[in-house]
């Protein structure tokens, strides 16, 4: 039985491990932290259960397809609840846009805001559904080694309808004029790593998931998804080594033959680097075995980092839903400060997740669990004084629009930002979401899924194909494991003939 080593236990690492184990391999995951999950870890404090990273559960079909690949269902491991409203966007004290779970109700909401927009939204979402069908069921499952992979009739026939060479900004604004509707349809790309005028309109496929499929919540939090994947991996025989930092990859004759760790050397027949791609290349390999130079990475466009606050409040708060977007300031200015000026935002948009509105298990009785997130640029100088200043300003804005003063009722606060992403995940520049999905960083133009100098080393995660986000990370792990399984099968067949 071949040994496969997976570095990192985030979504892509767990997915890669599961598929590699299903391929008949002896799989070992090496995780530097004391808990699996990567950015999707959680922690508990006095009855509060805080998800540390991802909080949006979109594209439910991708999760279901993952588990179905092993004859399972998501419901075998966790329960989903559809949120209604899915989320709200706060533009001002008396200007709030609630997004209903029923898309037919959403048509009415649009029509009330902008006359004639209901029919336009129907057409917009029909086109988004087509993009989703092409993007999430055809394009993202390509390993992207060559443009010829995309030269199928179905893909070529639909290229014009994906609006790959049109920006999200110009595409959305060709349908709608009201700035609130535009903000609703543009906001998902804020986490794809560039301003809406630089992201291909293909990615309005996210609107299909958000507005038609709907927003879901895994009861107990996103850690339940990670725990389900852990259970599946263990059922498949995967071994998980916690608090075991990988310090190097031992290469002989162009092949990785071992993993150097804080607990010694482990033999291996193939490696999946599901940790930060830059870290795996620059810290675990000698220069002559790397795909890319430091100059290459410094020239890439990264998705944002974050300033996050985990907050416990000893009473319920008025005016909050499960997901809340505070868009009461200038969207374009904040995006420019993240992607072009690379500075701390002057007056940022921000997001608040309050899972205790849906789930009593994540906070003590009659208390509130808050996850507050500000998208910020990567590579910023991060300090406690800066964090504290933003915290006070964010709480003040939340109080202003809810009409509910709760700052004195806060009984727990923890912050997390650029420095922490570097420390905990070896994240390049403290990035939180990976590489931007710009046209020049799409498909074959992303960092390669395989190492060109070490024939049994492959990569997974948000810095390679298909890109940032939880569902793409699941798919990335699958793609990497498929390459591992193909390599080992070919190698085994070759050795058998000798």
């Amino acid at each position: 039985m071949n040994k496969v080593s997976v570095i990192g236990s985030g979504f892509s690492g767990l997915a890669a491990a599961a598929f590699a184990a299903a391929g008949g391999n002896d799989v070992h995951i090496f995780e530097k932290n004391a808990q699996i999950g990567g950015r999707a870890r959680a922690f508990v404090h006095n009855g509060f259960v805080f998800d540390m990273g991802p909080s949006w559960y979109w594209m439910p079909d991708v999760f279901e397809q993952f588990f179905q690949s092993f004859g399972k269902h998501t419901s075998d491991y966790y329960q989903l609840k559809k949120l209604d409203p899915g989320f709200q966007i706060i533009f001002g004290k008396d200007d709030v846009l609630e997004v209903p779970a029923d898309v037919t109700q959403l048509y009415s909401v649009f029509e009330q805001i902008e006359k004639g927009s209901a029919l336009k939204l129907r057409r917009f979402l029909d086109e988004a559904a087509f993009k989703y069908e092409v993007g999430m069921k055809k394009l993202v499952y390509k390993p992207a080694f060559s443009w010829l992979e995309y030269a199928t009739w179905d893909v070529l026939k639909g290229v014009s309808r994906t609006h790959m060479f049109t920006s999200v900004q110009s595409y959305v604004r060709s349908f709608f004029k009201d700035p609130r509707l535009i903000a609703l349809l543009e906001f998902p790309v804020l986490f794809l790593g560039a301003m809406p005028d630089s992201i291909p309109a293909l990615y309005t496929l996210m609107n299909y998931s958000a507005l038609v499929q709907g927003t879901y919540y895994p009861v107990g939090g996103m850690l339940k998804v990670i725990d389900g994947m852990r259970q599946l991996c263990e059922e498949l025989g995967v071994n998980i080594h916690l608090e075991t930092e990988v310090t190097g990859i031992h290469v002989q004759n162009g092949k990785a033959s071992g993993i150097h760790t804080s607990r010694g050397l482990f033999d291996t027949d193939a490696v999946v680097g599901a940790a930060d791609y830059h870290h795996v290349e620059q810290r675990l390999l000698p220069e002559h075995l790397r795909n890319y130079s430091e100059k290459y990475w410094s020239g890439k466009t990264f998705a944002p980092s974050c300033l996050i606050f985990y907050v416990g409040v000893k009473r319920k708060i008025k005016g909050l839903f499960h997901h809340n977007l505070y868009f009461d300031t200038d969207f374009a200015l904040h995006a420019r400060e993240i992607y072009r000026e690379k500075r701390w935002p002057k007056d940022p948009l921000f997001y608040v997740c309050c899972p205790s509105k849906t789930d009593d298990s994540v906070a003590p009785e009659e208390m509130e669990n808050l996850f507050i997130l500000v998208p910020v640029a990567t590579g910023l100088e991060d300090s406690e004084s800066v964090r504290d200043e933003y915290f006070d300003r964010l709480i003040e804005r939340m109080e202003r629009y809810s009409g509910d003063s709760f700052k004195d009722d806060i009984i727990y606060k923890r912050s997390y930002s650029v420095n922490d992403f570097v420390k905990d995940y070896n994240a390049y520049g403290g990035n939180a979401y990976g590489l931007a999905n710009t046209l020049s960083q799409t498909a074959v133009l992303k960092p390669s899924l395989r190492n060109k100098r070490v024939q049994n080393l492959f990569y997974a995660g948000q810095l390679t194909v298909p890109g940032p986000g939880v569902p793409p990370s699941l798919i990335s792990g699958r793609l990497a494991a498929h390459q591992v399984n193909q390599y080992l099968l070919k190698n085994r067949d070759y050795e058998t003939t000798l």
Side-chain angles (χ1 to χ4, degrees):
M1 184 181 290
N2 289 301
K3 288 186 177 180
V4 176
S5 301
V6 178
I7 305 171
S9 68
F11 281 106
S12 67
L14 290 169
F19 281 106
N25 301 299
D26 177 19
V27 180
H28 294 256
I29 297 175
F30 298 94
E31 170 55 56
K32 72 184 286 285
N33 294 308
Q35 182 185 8
I36 64 167
R39 287 163 170 78
R41 293 181 300 157
F43 72 94
V44 178
H45 178 83
N46 290 346
F48 293 101
V49 182
F50 294 102
D51 276 326
M52 294 187 69
S55 58
W56 292 87
Y57 193 102
W58 283 348
M59 303 183 184
D61 53 314
V62 176
F63 293 89
E64 186 62 33
Q65 184 176 349
F66 168 78
F67 284 101
Q68 285 182 358
S69 299
F70 307 94
K72 304 287 188 177
H73 297 278
T74 55
S75 58
D76 295 327
Y77 299 98
Y78 55 90
Q79 300 302 311
L80 289 175
K81 181 175 182 178
K82 191 171 188 178
L83 302 181
D84 190 14
F87 54 96
Q88 66 174 346
I89 303 182
I90 299 163
F91 297 102
K93 185 171 178 59
D94 300 311
D95 190 4
V96 178
L97 174 56
E98 297 181 9
V99 179
D102 184 349
V103 71
T104 59
Q105 293 180 26
L106 185 63
Y107 295 142
S108 298
V109 170
F110 267 59
E111 192 65 25
Q112 290 169 14
I113 294 174
E114 183 178 307
K115 190 173 181 179
S117 65
L119 281 175
K120 292 178 181 178
L121 178 62
R122 188 181 300 274
R123 183 160 61 88
F124 179 92
L125 291 177
D126 284 345
E127 293 191 5
F130 175 81
K131 294 184 180 78
Y132 193 87
E133 181 71 22
V134 172
M136 297 307 299
K137 296 184 180 178
K138 294 184 174 69
L139 298 181
V140 297
Y141 286 96
K142 307 290 185 183
F145 296 137
S146 166
W147 289 113
L148 292 176
E149 295 169 23
Y150 303 91
T152 65
W153 175 244
D154 284 348
V155 172
L156 293 175
K157 182 176 64 174
V159 163
S160 63
R161 288 186 61 189
T162 65
H163 302 98
M164 178 65 80
F165 303 106
T166 303
S167 74
V168 166
Q169 182 180 85
S170 61
Y171 180 72
V172 168
R173 291 165 196 235
S174 72
F175 286 87
F176 308 103
K177 304 302 179 189
D178 190 282
R180 292 165 294 179
L181 302 184
I182 290 171
L184 167 61
L185 297 173
E186 287 185 352
F187 99 84
V189 307
L190 188 65
F191 300 99
L192 291 179
M195 294 176 67
D197 63 359
S198 301
I199 295 285
L202 165 67
Y203 293 104
T204 55
L205 62 84
M206 295 174 68
N207 295 120
Y208 170 77
S209 186
L211 304 179
V212 179
Q213 291 181 326
T215 302
Y216 290 81
Y217 171 72
V219 178
M222 290 294 286
L223 185 66
K224 292 295 183 183
V225 184
I226 288 291
D227 193 56
M229 294 179 71
R230 176 195 59 78
Q231 291 179 54
L232 174 64
C233 282
E234 291 178 346
E235 290 165 12
L236 292 166
V238 174
N239 300 279
I240 301 174
H241 306 271
L242 297 176
E243 296 182 280
T244 307
E245 183 172 6
V246 175
T247 57
I249 299 173
H250 187 69
V251 179
Q252 289 181 308
N253 301 319
K255 296 180 184 179
S257 60
I259 296 292
H260 294 283
T261 78
S262 55
R263 300 193 180 193
L265 178 67
F266 289 79
D267 293 338
T268 194
D269 296 298
V271 178
V272 176
D276 183 270
Y277 196 132
H278 170 270
H279 173 76
V280 174
E281 289 251 304
Q282 301 294 318
R283 301 291 178 265
L284 307 185
L285 290 172
E287 185 174 356
H288 69 282
L289 296 179
R290 299 168 189 166
N291 275 350
Y292 307 105
S293 67
E294 192 66 46
K295 182 179 179 181
Y296 170 89
W297 290 107
S298 66
K300 291 281 123 183
T301 301
F302 279 80
S305 185
C306 299
L307 170 58
I308 302 171
F309 297 101
Y310 311 101
V311 180
V313 184
K314 66 181 180 181
R315 66 171 177 83
K316 292 296 183 182
I317 302 172
K318 299 175 186 176
L320 287 180
F321 289 170
H322 189 117
H323 294 297
N324 312 268
L325 294 158
Y326 286 78
F327 275 34
D328 51 311
T329 58
D330 190 335
F331 178 103
L333 173 60
H334 186 181
R336 192 162 62 246
E337 289 168 327
I338 293 174
Y339 302 120
R340 294 183 182 165
E341 299 173 5
K342 300 287 186 181
R343 60 188 294 268
W344 284 98
K346 181 180 179 181
D347 205 7
L349 286 69
F350 65 102
Y351 158 66
V352 177
C353 181
C354 186
S356 48
K357 294 296 185 186
T358 303
D359 186 354
D360 292 337
S361 72
V362 300
E365 188 175 358
E366 292 303 310
M367 295 191 189
E368 219 73 287
N369 173 323
L370 302 180
F371 171 96
I372 305 172
L373 181 151
V374 180
V376 300
T378 56
L380 294 175
E381 187 174 337
D382 179 16
S383 68
E384 287 300 322
S385 61
V386 169
R387 297 184 188 192
D388 289 342
E389 178 188 346
Y390 275 94
F391 181 75
D392 290 340
R393 290 163 57 190
L394 299 178
I395 296 300
E396 180 184 341
R397 280 167 62 185
M398 288 178 66
E399 290 180 330
R400 186 188 317 154
Y401 294 115
S402 68
D404 188 356
S405 298
F406 62 90
K407 185 174 183 180
D408 291 341
D409 296 306
I410 293 173
I411 56 175
Y412 178 76
K413 181 191 81 169
R414 175 183 171 184
S415 64
Y416 199 95
S417 196
V418 176
N419 292 346
D420 301 294
F421 281 102
V422 174
K423 174 177 172 288
D424 289 348
Y425 312 124
N426 296 308
Y428 182 79
N431 81 84
Y433 299 98
L435 279 182
N437 268 341
T438 59
L439 189 59
S440 62
Q441 293 182 170
T442 294
V444 178
L445 302 177
K446 287 186 182 294
S448 178
L449 195 72
R450 66 184 174 202
N451 187 289
K452 299 164 188 173
R453 296 172 174 84
V454 183
Q455 58 184 283
N456 58 345
L457 171 58
F458 305 90
Y459 301 93
Q462 57 191 13
L463 294 185
T464 184
V465 292
V470 174
S473 289
L474 286 176
I475 295 167
S476 183
R478 177 176 185 160
L479 292 172
H482 180 65
Q483 294 301 313
V484 166
N485 291 338
Q486 279 192 323
Y487 166 80
L488 292 173
L489 179 62
K490 180 180 177 181
N491 194 53
R492 182 163 60 241
D493 290 345
Y494 172 74
E495 289 179 350
T496 302
T497 64
L498 293 179

